[in-house]
Amino acid sequence: MRAAVVRRTALAASAVTLALLVSACGGSSDDDAKGAGKSAAAGSAAPKSDAAASDVKALSAAELEKASLAAADLKGYQVTTMKDGERGTADQVTVDKAECLPVALALGLVEREEAVASTARQAMPKPDASAATADDPLAAISLVTSAVSLSSYDGADASEVLAEMKKTAGECTGFTATVQGEKTVYSKVAEVPVSGGEEALGLNLAMESDGDSVPMSLVLVRQAGTVATIATADMSGATGGTAENELPTEIISAQVAKLA
């Protein structure tokens, strides 16, 4: 099959992948796992202190918009604002393992009940015209897609989100999510080093799709009472190239800079 045809297929798959990231993986669990997200947070997070609750004030919706990524913040990227319906909700997905529910919630950029305000962006590298050829004009288009959300919290709630995810990172090694009757297998969930903000967590994942393993990453960064969540999928392997499981360092750095 010609590279251009494969790339078109990969682009379609990339769109599906992003849909799974930002509008499907919202995550309620199976019957035994219902409520696991809240119980995990309660069991793993450090207790709130009166000082933390009074010192940390959530950014308002307007302040969060100013702190969110814009095209001017990322040279070489297209940045668009995601619509409300493009994000996941907590009733859209089931997962087979309760301990993996926080990962599913984060992948879907689901706005948590505790959040005071939240925003979401999509970031993709701009097309590189120099990469296109007569046989494969679509080679100019990148197949690496990121979805970025910011959520603001009062008191210790932001710290508790990170604590829950760190606990999850030690327990969840893989899971299956069911979205509208369609199952998606995440065969790997592994913690990787990442820095930024006051605390951060990085995960590498592998999503199985039509016999291919799609590298994905999930990064959470906390600055004061704001948590940035960055979910990335790399479909380049479907075109015969080499997909890489790398963290989107430029996006992380740009978002952390705006939160500092």
Side-chain angles (χ1 to χ4, degrees), residues 69-77 79 126 254 258:
L69 288 176
D73 303 317
L74 275 170
K75 184 178 180 180
Y77 279 80
V79 179
K126 291 181 179 179
K258 293 202 75 172

Side-chain angles (χ1 to χ4, degrees), residues 46-219:
K48 289 184 181 180
S49 68
D50 292 339
S54 61
D55 291 345
V56 179
K57 300 297 183 184
L59 296 181
S60 67
E63 290 171 328
L64 209 61
E65 282 292 339
K66 290 181 180 179
S68 297
L69 288 176
D73 303 317
L74 275 170
K75 184 178 180 180
Y77 279 80
Q78 297 173 322
V79 179
T80 56
T81 299
M82 293 171 58
K83 299 176 182 178
D84 291 341
E86 293 177 322
R87 298 185 64 175
T89 59
D91 61 352
Q92 290 180 314
V93 147
T94 60
V95 295
D96 63 339
K97 298 178 182 178
E99 64 271 22
C100 297
L101 178 57
V103 176
L105 289 167
L107 284 173
L109 305 188
V110 173
E111 184 174 8
R112 300 173 68 107
E113 292 180 2
E114 312 95 309
V116 173
S118 186
T119 65
R121 301 287 189 266
Q122 179 180 339
M124 295 182 66
K126 291 181 179 179
D128 179 8
S130 65
T133 65
D135 290 334
D136 189 6
L138 294 178
I141 302 173
S142 172
L143 296 178
V144 181
T145 305
S146 295
V148 185
S149 74
L150 292 184
S151 295
S152 59
Y153 300 88
D154 281 321
D157 285 347
S159 294
E160 291 181 354
V161 171
L162 266 293
E164 176 187 77
M165 288 301 298
K166 288 176 181 178
K167 182 175 186 293
T168 294
E171 298 176 345
C172 177
T173 58
F175 65 99
T176 298
T178 303
V179 184
Q180 298 178 349
E182 295 293 329
K183 290 187 177 181
T184 302
V185 176
Y186 296 88
S187 59
K188 181 185 78 171
V189 181
E191 188 171 358
V192 292
V194 64
S195 60
E198 295 180 22
E199 58 179 327
L201 174 72
L203 297 176
N204 272 345
L205 303 93
M207 185 183 77
E208 305 307 318
S209 176
D210 295 328
D212 291 324
S213 185
V214 178
M216 298 173 61
S217 67
L218 179 64
V219 174

Side-chain angles (χ1 to χ4, degrees), residues 1-11 135-136 212 238-241:
M1 186 180 295
R2 289 191 311 161
V5 177
V6 176
R7 185 171 290 273
R8 287 190 185 94
T9 303
L11 282 169
D135 290 334
D136 189 6
D212 291 324
T239 68

